[in-house]
Amino acid sequence: MSETTRPNVESANAGDHAAAAKAHLKESGEHLRQAASLAGTSARHAAEAARDELRAGGEAVREELEEARKAGRAAAQEAREAADEKLEAALGKGREFLASAEALIRERPLAAFGVAFAAGFLLSRIGRR
């Protein structure tokens, strides 16, 4: 081959290589577009699934909180009723004690006065220390 024909062959090969590279780049771009589209679709589906799961989870949490609220109210009501019963029992005992003290004072007024005087004297001694 002569020197004059060689550049033409090389330039023809270079043109073929450039065309092939462009074709490969175009094909690569199409694959990238398809991959991006599929990734976007997958991300949308994942987001929708996550949103659905969050909704279901939120509903389950609301139901559990409602059950806890009902149980808390029932426990508070029971505690209130038990406290009322204890208070009534204590008030009843206090009334009984006052009634027995009144009866004792009416039966033995001098003895009651003496006990009250002694108790006051002891309390005043203890208070001075």
Side-chain angles (χ1 to χ4, degrees), residues 32-96:
L32 284 173
R33 276 191 293 280
Q34 287 177 347
S37 175
L38 290 174
T41 302
S42 293
R44 263 192 309 280
H45 289 304
E48 288 171 1
R51 185 179 62 235
D52 293 343
E53 285 295 318
L54 281 174
R55 283 182 183 156
E59 185 62 32
V61 167
R62 273 191 289 282
E63 289 172 5
E64 288 296 323
L65 286 174
E66 181 63 23
E67 290 296 319
R69 184 187 64 80
K70 287 178 183 177
R73 280 193 172 178
Q77 182 64 30
E78 288 177 16
R80 192 174 311 128
E81 289 171 2
D84 287 344
E85 288 175 12
K86 296 284 185 183
L87 179 64
E88 285 298 320
L91 288 174
K93 290 278 187 184
R95 287 184 197 112
E96 288 175 16

